[in-house]
Amino acid sequence: METLVSTMVGRDGVQRELSAFMAAAGGRALILRGESGVGKSALLDHVAGLAGPERQRVIRAAGVEAETELPFAGLHQLLYSLLPHSAGLDEGHRDVFDVVFGLRAGTAPSVMSLGIAVLDLLSLAASEKPLLLLLDDGQWMDASSAEVCGFVGRRLSGSSVKMLIAVRSDVGSRFDTAALPELPVAALSEEAAGQLLDLRHPRLDAPTRRSVLEHAMGNPLALLELPAYLDGGHTGDLGFGNIPLSRRLQHVYGIRIERLAAPVREELLRGALDGVGAGPSGNRAPGARYRMREADEAVAAGLLDTDPATGDLVFRHPLVRATVVQLATPNQRRAAHAELARVHRDDVERRARHLAASAVDPDEQVAAALEAAADSATRRGGAVAAVAWLTRAAELSETPADRSRRLGDAAFIAGHAALLDQARKLVRSDLLPGASESPATVVTSAYVALYEDGDVRSAHRHVAAAIESLREDGAHKPPEVLTRLVNVLLAISQYAGDAALWERTEQLMDSLGDRVDTRSAIYRDAWSDVVRRGAGVHERVERAFADGSELEPWDVSRLSVAAYHVDTLRQYRPYLQRAVDREVETGAVATGMTMLHLIMLDQLAAGEWDDAERTGQRALELTTAHGHALFAHQTRAYLGLLDALRGQVERAREAQAVLDAWARPRGVGFLTQIADAIGTAAALSEGDYEAAYLYAIGITPPGSFERCAHQASRTLLDLVEAAAHTGRLEEARRHAQAACDAGLPEVSPRLALITYGALAMTAAEEKEAEDMYARAEAHPAAAGFPFELARIRLAHGVRLRHTQGPKAARPVLVRAVESFERLGAAGWAGRAQAELRASGTPARASLSYLTALTWQERRIAELAASGLTNKEIGARMHLSPRTVSSHLYRVFPKLGITSRAALRDALGKAADV
C-alpha cells in the first residue's frame, strides 16, 4: 500500500476525473495506472472519502506479492465481507463459490461461470446500498482473480457497483489486457513536487531540498521519505549513487533487482556508481558515463529504459540507481569502482574518484591522483568536491607530512567555500597533542575571526606571528604555505584600513624578500595605498590575468579587487560574471561573495544602478545565509552607498548607522570609511554641503590623502565640491592640486576624470577651467563613469552660465540632466533641472527632442560621434559590433541624418534646443 498524505498536491486534474467517475450514473470500472510511490493509494483514499458511508458501501482489498501464485486469493479478499449475501443466490452460484474458495471439492469453474456468479453477488449486495470496490496493488493479484475482476469490470454498466483498481505501470499484470478504461497517474510536476516537499519538510536547507527533488523526480513517496535520510548533512557522495533509502523506498525496486542474474546486477552497479542518468533526461548530464550493456533482463523488469536521444540504457528512476547501490556489498562496490577507474583512465577527476572509492589501505598513487583531481575541480568551480577529495587523499597518504599538507589544503579550500566549521574540524584532526599551531590552523582561525566577527586586530597579530615563525625556521615548508599566510594578512590589513597595521604588514613582507609571491605584491600595492603605490598596478594585474586557466578562484577575486582599486574592473567583469554562479553553487562560496561585491561595484561605476541593487540583494542573502557578518555588512555598505547616490537619504543614513555601529568598535576601517562616504554622498544628494564637508574630512583632511585609506582618493570630488560650496575655496583648490601632485591621473581612469574635474571646479582662471573641463570630457574612459561625468558637466554648466551666459550653458546642462535622470540620482537631477531652468530653458522641453532615443542609443551615438569604431564601442558597452551597427541604423532616422559624420551636429542641436 502507498498511503501518502491527506493533503493532495498537484493532482487537481486526476481528482476531477475521479469525481466525475463517482458522480456518473450506473456502474463502471476504472484502472489507475502509475509507478510505485506515485500516490495511487492516496487517490483511492480520496475516492473512499467521496463515497461517504451513507451513500455507498466501500469494499477494499489489496494485492499481495506473496499470494500471486495462490488461485483466487485476491478474489477471496475482495468478496469476503460480501459472502453472507451468497445465501440469497441460487444453488449453482453458491456451489461455484464453495469450489473456488475451497469449501468443497470440485472442478474449478470457468472465468465466465465464476464472473457471472460474482456479478450476481455484487448485484444482490448493492440492492441494499451501492457498492464501491477499491483494489490496490492490482499487479500482485493472482492471475485467476485478475481475469475474473476484468470480466466483472467490463459488465458493470446498469448496476450500482463501481470498481477502481490501482496498478503499477512498471510491473506487468493481467490487468494490462483487461480492456478497462484507464486513468494515468504521472509523477508530480517540478512545481508541484516543490510544493509537496515544502509542505511536509518546510525547513530543509537549499542543497538538501535540491537533492531530494532531483532524486525523487516527482515521486511523492520519495519526496516524503528521502528528507529524513538526506537532511542534516547526510547527503554523502551523491555522484556514486550513494543515496540512503528507507525500507519502503528500497522495497519499491529491490525485489526486482535481487531477482536479476549476477552479471546483470554487476552491470547495473557499474552504471549506478558512475552516475548513469535516470528518467526522461537520461544521459544528458555533462561528461562521459559508463555505457551499460547486456542488460536486457533489467529492461524487461522495468528497471532500465533506452534514452531516445543517445540509444544508451538509462535507469528508469533515480530510486532504481540508489537501490542498486544500496543492495550491493562493500566488496562489490569496491570492485565496481576499480573497474570504472580503468574505464576512465584518461579523465583526471572521474578516475581519481573511483580509485579513492576502491582503495582501503593508504596508497600514495591514489592520494596523488585525488590531489590532482581536487586541483582540477577547484578551477572549474567545484571547491566543495575538492574539499572531500583532499580529505580522502589525506586518509590515503602514506606519510604524516603528506597527510598534514593535504588536510591543510582541504581546510584552506573549505574556508573559501564558506565551510568554516568543516575547515576547523580538518585542522583539528591534524593537531597532535602538545604541538604548536600549524600554518593551516592559523589561516583557518584567521578566516573564521575575520569573516564571522570582523576581528581584525587579533587576527592580524596571530597571522603576523605565524609569518615571523615561518620566516625563521620554515624553509622546509612548501611556498604556498607562506603565500597563504601573507595573503590572509593582506586581507586583514585591507579591512583594518589602519596605517600602523599596514606598516607592520609591509615590514614583514619586505623581510621575506623574494619569497613573496608576485601576485601578493600586487595585492599589497593595490589594497594598501593606491595613491602612493597604485601607479603601474593596472598593467601588473593585466599580466597576471593573461593566463586565467592557471588561476584559482580566490586569485581571480583578489586580482579583481586590485583592478577595482585602480578602476579597471570593467574589463574583468565578464570573467567574474561567468565564474560567480558556479562558485556560489558548488565552489568557493566565500570567494563568490567577493565576486558579487565586485560585480556590484562595477555596475555602480557604470551607471547600471538597478542591476547593482539586484546583485547587492543577492550578495546580502548569500552572506547572511552563511553567517559571514563581515561580508554581510560590506554588502549593506554598498547598498547604502547606492541609496545615498539615488537620493534615498533616510535608507542611506539607516544603513550608515548600522554599519558604523558594527564596524567602528571592531576597528574595521574599510567599512567605517564607507560609512563616512555614505554620509558624504547622502548630504551632497540633498544639497547639505556643510554636512558633506564634515563627513569628507573624516576620511581625509583637505590637501592630503590619508595613508592606507581607500576612500580618500575615491571621495576626491566630494570633498572638493563640498568645500567649494561652503566657501572653503582655498581648501578645495589645495585638495584638487594635491591630487594632481600625487599623480592620481596616472593611477586610474576614474581618478584622472575626477582630478581634472576637481581642478576645473577650483580654477581661478577661465582658460585653465575650460582646459580641465575639456580634458575631463575628452578622457577615453569618461563615458564609463557616467555619474562622475554628469557631476562635472553640472559644475561646468553652472560656471558657463555665470561666465558666458545661458546659451553656452544649456548643452552641457542638458547632458547632465539626462544622465542624472537615467541613473535615478533624484537629488542631483533636481539641482541640474533648476540650473537648466535658470538658463532660460524649461528643463523637460529641452529633453523632448531626445525622447525618441533610448539611453543605450544615445550613448552609442555619442561614442560614434567621438570617432570610435563599432568594435571600440562594442568593447566599451559589452556589445557585439553587429549590435552596435543595428542601434546606429535606428538612430540615424530618429535624428534625421544619414551618416556618422552628421552625428555630432545632430546631437549638439538636440542639446541646444
Side-chain angles (χ1 to χ4, degrees), residues 473-489:
D473 57 6
H476 63 286
K477 294 285 187 182
E480 63 266 20
V481 173
L482 178 62
T483 298
R484 288 172 183 172
L485 284 167
V486 168
N487 287 342
V488 74
L489 186 69

Side-chain angles (χ1 to χ4, degrees), residues 794 817 821 828-838 841-844 846-847:
L794 174 58
V817 169
E821 288 184 340
W828 289 93
R831 280 204 298 284
Q833 289 276 8
E835 289 294 337
L836 195 55
R837 286 192 296 272
T841 303
R844 289 295 169 188
S846 70
L847 293 176

Side-chain angles (χ1 to χ4, degrees), residues 76 80 83 86 94-106:
H76 181 266
Y80 182 78
L83 288 180
S86 64
R94 287 199 304 274
D95 291 342
V96 166
F97 286 121
D98 287 345
V99 169
V100 298
F101 293 150
L103 297 178
R104 68 179 180 84

Side-chain angles (χ1 to χ4, degrees), residues 543-563:
R543 287 194 296 272
F545 261 115
D547 189 3
S549 62
E550 294 300 315
L551 297 175
E552 305 283 10
W554 35 90
D555 296 324
V556 172
S557 67
R558 289 168 181 159
L559 286 169
S560 298
V561 171

Side-chain angles (χ1 to χ4, degrees), residues 626-679:
H626 284 84
H628 278 43
L630 176 70
F631 285 171
H633 280 88
Q634 187 174 352
T635 309
R636 294 187 185 98
Y638 295 146
L639 288 169
L641 189 58
L642 174 58
D643 288 335
L645 296 176
R646 282 175 158 169
Q648 297 168 339
V649 293
E650 292 304 319
R651 284 172 50 178
R653 289 193 175 116
E654 182 181 344
Q656 179 191 8
V658 171
L659 181 63
D660 202 75
W662 185 86
R664 206 168 292 277
R666 292 170 169 80
V668 186
F670 186 88
L671 295 186
T672 58
Q673 290 173 44
I674 299 178
D676 286 339
I678 293 172

Side-chain angles (χ1 to χ4, degrees), residues 552-634:
E552 305 283 10
W554 35 90
D555 296 324
V556 172
S557 67
R558 289 168 181 159
L559 286 169
S560 298
V561 171
Y564 160 71
H565 282 293
V566 293
D567 300 302
T568 57
L569 186 56
R570 190 74 40 82
Q571 68 190 86
Y572 308 112
R573 199 215 293 183
Y575 194 112
L576 293 171
Q577 287 175 318
R578 288 194 300 270
V580 70
D581 288 336
R582 74 185 185 211
E583 299 302 339
V584 166
E585 187 69 20
T586 59
V589 180
T591 299
M593 297 173 191
T594 299
M595 289 179 174
L596 286 172
H597 287 160
L598 291 165
I599 292 168
M600 180 187 180
L601 287 170
D602 194 58
Q603 289 167 334
L604 268 173
E608 301 161 10
W609 289 0
D610 289 342
D611 290 340
E613 182 173 21
R614 284 189 287 271
T615 303
Q617 291 298 336
R618 181 185 178 191
L620 186 59
E621 291 173 8
L622 184 68
T623 55
T624 303
H626 284 84
H628 278 43
L630 176 70
F631 285 171
H633 280 88
Q634 187 174 352

